[in-house]
Amino acid sequence: MSEEPESLDSRPDFDDGEVWSVKRFTSARNACKFYRVMAIITGTMLLILTVEMIYKYLIAADSSTALNFGGFNLAAAIAICHGWCYVVYLIGCFWLNQQMRWTLGRYIVLALAGVVPVMSFILERRINRQVEAELAAAVVVAPKS
């Protein structure tokens, strides 16, 4: 009893949740790269902000004049820079979360990593490993031409 060979046009067995379009796959990979860069920048700025606040409020004699150089307030500049980096980081988290189709809870955890010192570095590595694993398991389907 010989079985007929499988047709080249037949569909292989896989879960529909693992099917990705080429556009979504590429966008998810780019979102992960953007997220990683912004997580490192935001984490670094948060560490600088933390050191600045410790100096200003615990070490300096007068917190109102600490880190003021002429008319330039370094403490305010660091805080503003971290704030804008955090906004761009949130955009990157949202982009990654949408492409990976994760839950709102995952987005909130990603967002909190930008305000807890050192957490962005730890979470960035975990998220990158998870994204790479999900993308490696994905079935990428190109549109018919």
Side-chain angles (χ1 to χ4, degrees), residues 56-104:
K56 183 176 177 179
Y57 294 111
L58 298 178
I59 298 173
D62 183 17
S63 64
S64 63
T65 59
L67 299 173
N68 284 333
F69 303 102
F72 182 72
N73 186 349
L74 182 62
I78 291 170
I80 290 169
C81 187
H82 168 69
W84 281 107
C85 288
Y86 183 67
V87 169
V88 176
Y89 170 77
L90 287 177
I91 293 168
C93 291
F94 182 77
W95 181 22
L96 180 62
N97 199 60
Q98 289 298 106
Q99 295 306 313
M100 298 304 293
R101 296 184 180 159
W102 289 335
T103 62
L104 178 63

Side-chain angles (χ1 to χ4, degrees), residues 45-64:
M45 288 306 303
L46 183 58
L47 286 177
I48 292 169
L49 180 65
T50 303
V51 168
E52 174 265 321
M53 292 181 82
I54 289 171
Y55 172 76
K56 183 176 177 179
Y57 294 111
L58 298 178
I59 298 173
D62 183 17
S63 64
S64 63

